[in-house]
Each structure stands twice: as structure tokens, then as C-alpha cells.
Amino acid sequence: MEGMKGRRGETATASGDDRLARRILDRCRDLDLLLAASESLTGGLMADAFVRVPGASDVFLGSAVTYDIEAKASVLGVTPGLLAEHGAVHPRVAQEMALGAARLYTQPGHEGRVLGLSTTGVAGPGPDNGRPAGLVYVAIAVPDGVLPGDALGGLALDGYHLLSYELHLPGSRERVRRGTVRQLLVRLDQLLAPRKLKA
């Protein structure tokens, strides 16, 4: 019986994620925005959340899975000194990963339209370099002019507002990874909520 409950719960969560992803994609279409991601601990689950939705290809550009710490620097342009000092699990790393994703997937004609997303953290089952399992940072890079400045805050850098969020997620490695995706979807959905958009 316990296994059945678990499967039903996972199905309900997946269904909820699908609804969130669909709503985000629809809002991005309305606003003529595009999405790109960079993923560490989620290893492609963020991309899957979007591509599960039919028609996502007109909004979602792709995701760079940079699991290796050096790939975060070489592929995404995360500052090597930042990684050397703090490792991969740090809010500024998440911000630079999100910015790197936005830059990586911006093609001619896409300028100022690509929102970057990122995930980095400790999925578990145990701690990593003194950081506990379930400690995760997600970030969103928002191009200037997309949302009112007072609705954003965060770090302003190179034409983007870089927002990061610290998460403490319980459960197994898989629950942490899937919970990371859900929490990033929730925050992106809130950020794009109509009440926060320019008139």
C-alpha cells in the first residue's frame, strides 16, 4: 500500500509540474520571451519539465548539463576563482550559471528576450564538502526591461537581474532533484505573474 501511495503522490506532483510548466510557457509566448537552462544536480530534469509540454520548442531553447565543476567555468563562464573559493554550491555560482545559460542560448534576434535558469546543490544521500544533502541554490537571469525593477531586486549585471534562492529540501536524492525543479518552476511562475508585469 505504501508503494501505491508513493506512486500516486509522484504522479500528482508530475501533473502539477506539467501545469506550472505549461503556464510558464504560455506567459513567455505572450511576452515574447524565451527560456534556457543550466543544470547541475538536476541533470536534465529541468529541461524535461518543459519539453514534456507539447509545443515547448517555440519558447524553450535548451539546457546545458554542467555537472562537472570545471564545465561550469568552461561552458557557462562561471568565474573560476568563485568556484575555487566556494565550490559549486553557492548562490553567486547559481546566478552566474543562469547568466551563462542566457548568454549561451541567445542567438541573433533573441537579444534581451532569453531568461536563464540554473540549478546547483547537494542531492545526497550524504553531505558534500561540508554542505548538507538538500541544500540547493536555484537562480533566474532576467533581461533588463522585462519586469519592473522594483519587482526584481537581486544583482544587476551585464543587462540582467540575477535572482537566487536558497532551498533546503528533504528526502531522498530523487526527491531533492525533483523538488529542485518544482521550486524553480514555482519561483519562475511567481516572477511572471501578471500582477508583476509592465502594463
Side-chain angles (χ1 to χ4, degrees):
M1 287 296 284
E2 189 63 32
M4 291 294 289
K5 287 180 183 176
R7 281 195 291 273
R8 280 199 299 269
E10 289 172 9
T11 300
T13 299
S15 175
D17 289 354
D18 287 352
R19 285 193 296 273
L20 270 173
R22 184 176 292 109
R23 187 161 65 222
I24 289 165
L25 291 168
D26 287 343
R27 287 179 181 162
C28 285
R29 287 187 191 96
D30 292 343
L31 295 165
D32 196 27
L33 297 175
L34 302 165
L35 296 172
S38 56
E39 305 185 58
S40 188
L41 80 157
T42 49
L45 289 176
M46 190 77 241
D48 182 65
F50 290 114
V51 301
R52 287 166 57 90
V53 180
S57 61
D58 62 349
V59 172
F60 184 69
L61 302 175
S63 181
V65 177
T66 52
Y67 199 61
D68 176 68
I69 194 167
E70 293 180 0
K72 291 173 175 64
S74 63
V75 175
L76 299 172
V78 176
T79 305
L82 176 67
L83 293 166
E85 182 177 358
H86 297 289
V89 186
H90 190 270
R92 182 61 189 267
V93 171
Q95 290 174 332
E96 291 195 13
M97 286 175 65
L99 178 60
R103 288 172 167 168
L104 184 65
Y105 285 96
T106 294
Q107 304 296 320
H110 291 173
E111 295 88 352
R113 297 172 50 213
V114 180
L115 276 69
L117 314 174
S118 72
T119 66
T120 187
V122 183
D128 181 37
N129 291 323
R131 292 176 172 85
L135 173 61
V136 174
Y137 294 97
V138 298
I140 306 171
V142 183
D144 287 350
V146 170
L147 297 173
D150 60 355
L152 291 174
L155 174 68
L157 181 67
D158 294 343
Y160 288 83
H161 287 271
L162 307 181
L163 312 173
S164 62
Y165 308 90
E166 181 175 308
L167 310 176
H168 296 269
L169 302 172
S172 66
R173 181 178 177 85
E174 190 62 17
R175 283 190 65 189
V176 169
R177 294 174 70 234
R178 294 196 177 278
T180 298
V181 171
R182 166 161 269 274
Q183 289 300 315
L184 183 49
L185 288 173
V186 166
R187 281 157 177 77
L188 183 57
D189 183 55
Q190 291 170 345
L191 194 66
L192 295 174
R195 67 182 179 278
K196 290 187 176 180
L197 301 178
K198 284 184 174 180

